[in-house]
Amino acid sequence: HNQTTTNRQPTMKTTSLLVLAFATTTSAFGSFGKPKATTPKGPMPTFDDATQRYVKSPNDDGVMPYDAIGSALRHGPVPFITRLTNADEYEQGVLKYMGTAKVSRAEAVGNMDAKLNNPLDWSYQKMEEKNGKPKIDYTVLDPKQAALTSVWALAITPLVINVVSSTVSQFNNEPGPCVSKAFEGLGICSSYIPH
């Protein structure tokens, strides 16, 4: 009897862990089947016909769920650069998505970043969602994506810039021989072609 009780405890622990793992996995990937009907979440923007611009609701604090760095970590350099260089157009895109899709600001920001990063994949995913596929939460920070973006931002991009810069600099300082006799008559390479 004592041995039976001892054998059940590891089995109970294993079963409990499996149930917990399954429940966590299911909640991480969302529900299966058709997505639930979207209902407005919070204050919705309006469209001003006179200015042809979206206007945030007075009840919308305008606070983004994450900053430009968060955009870069989640979706790469394009949304990051857009948020820094064209903040007004970015905000208009967020407000438009909030108003047309009837979603929260956070969901609209995630979708705007995903669309800026890869418009074709984003459009395909939206079509799939209309056909019953699970909705993707674009605001979630994937640690693998964040690490990859950081490596690109801190190591690969500066290396590429350095290589291109030194190549251009070297070409400007020591241009080398003319690459084609076709340029000879134009005077482009006259100083490099022996007479």
Side-chain angles (χ1 to χ4, degrees):
H1 180 274
N2 204 8
Q3 188 175 12
T4 306
T5 306
T6 315
N7 287 341
R8 280 189 191 164
Q9 286 177 342
T11 306
M12 291 289 285
K13 285 181 184 178
T14 304
T15 305
S16 299
L17 285 174
L18 286 172
V19 168
L20 180 63
F22 179 73
T24 306
T25 304
T26 303
S27 69
F29 290 106
S31 59
F32 298 101
K34 294 219 178 268
K36 294 177 184 174
T38 307
T39 56
K41 298 171 185 166
M44 290 292 115
T46 56
F47 186 74
D48 184 352
D49 288 323
T51 62
Q52 293 294 298
R53 294 175 54 82
Y54 285 88
V55 180
K56 71 181 182 86
S57 164
N59 298 328
D60 180 2
D61 60 9
V63 174
M64 300 289 186
Y66 48 83
D67 60 7
I69 301 283
S71 288
L73 292 174
R74 287 168 178 80
H75 300 287
V78 176
F80 170 75
I81 292 168
T82 302
R83 283 181 80 165
L84 293 180
T85 61
N86 203 347
D88 182 60
E89 186 178 321
Y90 181 86
E91 173 69 5
Q92 283 296 300
V94 168
L95 292 173
K96 181 179 180 181
Y97 193 81
M98 284 174 70
T100 56
K102 306 288 186 239
V103 297
S104 68
R105 177 173 283 274
E107 188 173 338
V109 167
N111 275 277
M112 180 59 56
D113 288 349
K115 183 178 181 180
L116 288 169
N117 180 48
N118 191 335
L120 294 176
D121 280 357
W122 180 83
S123 296
Y124 177 78
Q125 176 59 33
K126 291 298 148 191
M127 269 191 334
E128 290 296 303
E129 287 174 10
K130 287 180 183 175
N131 293 328
K133 298 288 184 190
K135 198 172 190 177
I136 291 180
D137 183 358
Y138 290 111
T139 62
V140 173
L141 178 59
D142 176 20
K144 183 179 172 185
Q145 177 65 34
L148 184 61
T149 301
S150 299
V151 167
W152 270 98
L154 301 174
I156 296 172
T157 301
L159 178 66
V160 169
I161 290 170
N162 186 1
V163 168
V164 170
S165 173
S166 58
T167 302
V168 168
S169 163
Q170 183 179 7
F171 181 76
N172 287 337
N173 295 333
E174 303 168 21
C178 189
V179 292
S180 172
K181 292 219 181 233
F183 296 120
E184 196 173 326
L186 300 174
I188 295 173
C189 302
S190 59
S191 62
Y192 304 112
I193 298 173
H195 294 285

